[in-house]
Amino acid sequence: MRITIFGAGYVGLVTAACFADVGNHVMCVDVDQRKIDLLSQGIVPMHEPGMDNLLATNMSTGRLQFSTDSAAAVRHGEVIFIAVGTPPDEDGSADLQYVLGVANTIGQYMNEGKVVVNKSTVPVGTAQRVSNSIQTVLSARGESYAVDVVSNPEFLKEGAAIADFMRPDRIILGTESTHAIALMRELYAPFNRNHDRLIVMDVPSAELTKYAANAMLATKISFMNEIARLAERIGADIEQVRIGIGSDPRIGFDFLYAGCGYGGSCFPKDVKALRRTYREYEEEPNILQAVENVNQHQQGLLFHKLQQVFNNQLQGKRFALWGLAFKPNTDDMREAPSRVLMERLWAAGAQVQAYDPKAMQETQRIYGDRDDLQLCTSPTEALQDADALIIVTEWKVFRSPDFDLIKSKLKAALIFDGRNLYDPKRMRARGFQYYGIGRGDQL
């Protein structure tokens, strides 16, 4: 099948590479010439495990190509995916200018019937707006072609996106077109062999499903963080509570880890956008507001603990920071808790010595050269003469470190663990002053 993907960002690139890998001919188009030049050379401008090899394999066969030629891209695809960004607007709503811009481009250049698929995360009603935009441009051209607009939200986890695409939990299709359903079934058949994962529903339900899924996961995280606050006050250990409630199959263990807050490109943006949709319909998103409030509190919690331990005297202190990306196995720092922490430390006059396995270049891009930020080449280098170690991202490399080495490098045996990687009793037995999240330390 001939497929066009508009948008060579995270979702678009994964979608393009995975469809090409099962034999389709895919053209991925983007307005960013530099990004397209890099991709055409086989250089992936982001970190996603397995993407380098997947890209190289399918480019070498000619099944995957990159371009900035929108007209050629529209003509190429029987199915055209829209996978461009929907950044939050000033009021928290999803900014649809790029989605609707692609719709106008499709209407301008299409010369036969198309199935247009919304892969971007968009509010309810966007598919209709995309259809209307295409038809308006076609009418202005004096042309009439069949256009089916399908909602097909993505459920990719950064760091595991290829596996998620190749072996999906579910494939959501929002459409009432029998032609589009048949075509999409054929397209997704290679990823749907073990059992039928394809769920067809009306378009508004499909659009809402994506937001509801991310809001539910964000709610689980904030709920555990809320319980963690109480655990600290009463001397309970949130990790033991997690195991106790997670063993209930109605609840499960996923997304029950207390910590220093969620970040990334999805949860913060989608919770805000869903809240905005509620208010457009004059409804109050009470739970979602609480989810967001709790997360804002959690992102400032490590700094608050530092203030308490150091009696608000952070001026001139030096802190080792392990983890910059918002989660492991990515270099994405959008809405990352590390950014909140570093910026507050700098405002208080402290210095940061930071290490992350993948996000160093992204940190440099965001903050540039600063006297109060040292980007280190190893976890050990970050520890040198620091007043404390702060763990912000739960990379595997941080899970079983040499604690004797840590103690020898730090000025004081002091650890603030924003991801609860270590056991408090064992850490104290090793001579560390240790503060986690909800571990009964009452800070």
Side-chain angles (χ1 to χ4, degrees):
M1 198 175 293
R2 300 187 319 277
I3 302 170
T4 290
I5 313 285
F6 272 89
Y10 190 87
V11 173
L13 189 56
V14 172
T15 302
C18 290
F19 275 137
D21 201 53
V22 295
N24 298 293
H25 293 274
V26 182
M27 178 181 288
C28 188
V29 64
D30 199 286
V31 297
D32 188 335
Q33 183 68 58
R34 179 179 177 276
K35 181 185 292 184
I36 292 300
D37 290 343
L38 289 172
L39 289 167
S40 297
Q41 298 170 46
I43 300 171
V44 182
M46 65 180 189
H47 175 71
E48 178 60 36
M51 181 55 72
D52 290 341
N53 290 336
L54 196 64
L55 204 69
T57 298
N58 289 286
M59 289 177 65
S60 67
T61 63
R63 292 193 299 264
L64 177 60
Q65 57 182 308
F66 297 95
S67 177
T68 57
D69 188 341
S70 297
V74 172
R75 290 192 293 268
H76 170 84
E78 305 167 59
V79 182
I80 300 175
F81 283 82
I82 301 176
V84 294
T86 53
D89 220 333
E90 290 182 6
D91 61 0
S93 62
D95 186 345
L96 298 178
Q97 63 172 310
Y98 304 113
V99 170
L100 298 178
V102 172
N104 289 334
T105 299
I106 293 170
Q108 182 179 355
Y109 294 116
M110 65 183 292
N111 56 5
E112 59 181 347
K114 303 286 184 182
V115 172
V116 177
V117 184
N118 252 336
K119 203 72 172 168
S120 301
T121 300
V122 294
V124 174
T126 301
Q128 188 60 55
R129 293 182 65 180
V130 167
S131 180
N132 292 345
S133 295
I134 294 172
Q135 294 299 339
T136 298
V137 177
L138 285 174
S139 296
R141 290 173 54 197
E143 302 283 0
S144 178
Y145 299 111
V147 180
D148 292 317
V149 179
V150 178
S151 175
N152 175 218
E154 54 86 14
F155 299 97
L156 306 177
K157 298 186 296 292
E158 291 193 39
I162 294 171
D164 285 345
F165 197 101
M166 296 292 195
R167 295 182 294 279
D169 300 313
R170 72 283 206 199
I171 302 164
I172 303 292
L173 296 182
T175 180
E176 296 179 1
S177 164
T178 55
H179 168 67
I181 292 170
L183 197 63
M184 295 299 285
R185 279 195 180 276
E186 180 183 351
L187 181 59
Y188 274 110
F191 313 102
N192 198 34
R193 295 191 63 181
N194 182 268
H195 63 276
D196 192 4
R197 300 176 175 89
L198 201 143
I199 303 169
V200 180
M201 59 183 70
D202 60 84
V203 174
S205 296
E207 291 174 328
L208 183 56
T209 294
K210 168 63 175 180
Y211 279 112
N214 277 352
M216 173 59 79
L217 297 176
T219 299
K220 292 182 74 174
I221 294 170
S222 282
F223 175 80
M224 288 304 290
N225 283 330
E226 184 89 331
I227 297 296
R229 287 169 56 194
L230 182 61
E232 286 195 5
R233 297 298 300 273
I234 65 178
D237 187 341
I238 194 63
E239 278 295 289
Q240 296 183 37
V241 175
R242 176 184 67 81
I243 293 168
I245 68 173
S247 59
D248 186 332
R250 296 170 300 175
I251 298 173
F253 289 101
D254 292 340
F255 290 86
L256 291 187
Y257 291 92
C260 53
Y262 61 75
S265 62
C266 294
F267 290 2
K269 173 175 69 71
D270 293 352
V271 169
K272 285 185 175 69
L274 190 53
R275 281 179 50 220
R276 176 65 181 175
T277 300
Y278 268 85
R279 288 180 174 143
E280 287 176 4
Y281 290 88
E282 298 182 347
E283 295 287 345
E284 280 300 315
N286 298 318
I287 291 177
L288 296 179
Q289 183 64 64
V291 167
E292 198 167 52
N293 290 345
V294 170
N295 194 60
Q296 289 173 355
H297 174 271
Q298 290 303 119
Q299 289 200 340
L301 188 56
L302 285 173
F303 181 75
H304 178 66
K305 288 176 178 285
L306 286 161
Q307 283 183 309
Q308 287 184 294
V309 171
F310 286 93
N311 297 314
N312 291 315
Q313 302 298 314
L314 298 177
Q315 178 77 36
K317 300 295 184 184
R318 180 182 293 120
F319 295 104
L321 197 152
W322 282 3
L324 294 163
F326 85 93
K327 60 179 280 189
N329 298 318
T330 182
D331 60 354
D332 194 342
M333 289 185 63
R334 285 173 288 186
E335 304 280 346
S338 64
R339 297 179 65 172
V340 175
L341 176 60
M342 287 194 295
E343 288 165 15
R344 291 187 182 183
L345 286 172
W346 293 331
Q351 295 184 324
V352 174
Q353 299 175 171
Y355 172 77
D356 187 283
K358 295 296 178 182
M360 305 296 276
Q361 186 174 344
E362 180 67 1
T363 307
Q364 177 70 40
R365 184 192 69 80
I366 294 169
Y367 292 112
D369 295 325
R370 299 179 58 111
D371 292 338
D372 49 12
L373 172 62
Q374 179 184 349
L375 296 177
C376 302
T377 58
S378 69
T380 303
E381 183 185 351
L383 296 169
Q384 189 65 48
D385 293 326
D387 291 281
L389 167 62
I390 311 168
I391 299 167
V392 185
T393 312
E394 63 275 30
W395 286 92
K396 286 184 179 180
V397 70
F398 303 147
R399 292 185 181 180
S400 297
D402 184 336
F403 290 107
D404 291 334
L405 178 64
I406 291 175
K407 192 183 291 186
S408 71
K409 294 291 184 180
L410 294 175
K411 288 182 180 178
L414 178 57
I415 295 178
F416 295 83
D417 185 354
R419 297 301 176 186
N420 290 339
L421 296 186
Y422 313 133
D423 181 83
K425 291 181 180 178
R426 291 182 180 177
M427 295 306 296
R428 286 162 189 152
R430 291 176 179 270
F432 282 92
Q433 190 177 351
Y434 176 83
Y435 300 101
I437 306 292
R439 308 305 296 273
D441 47 36
Q442 298 189 24
L443 255 188

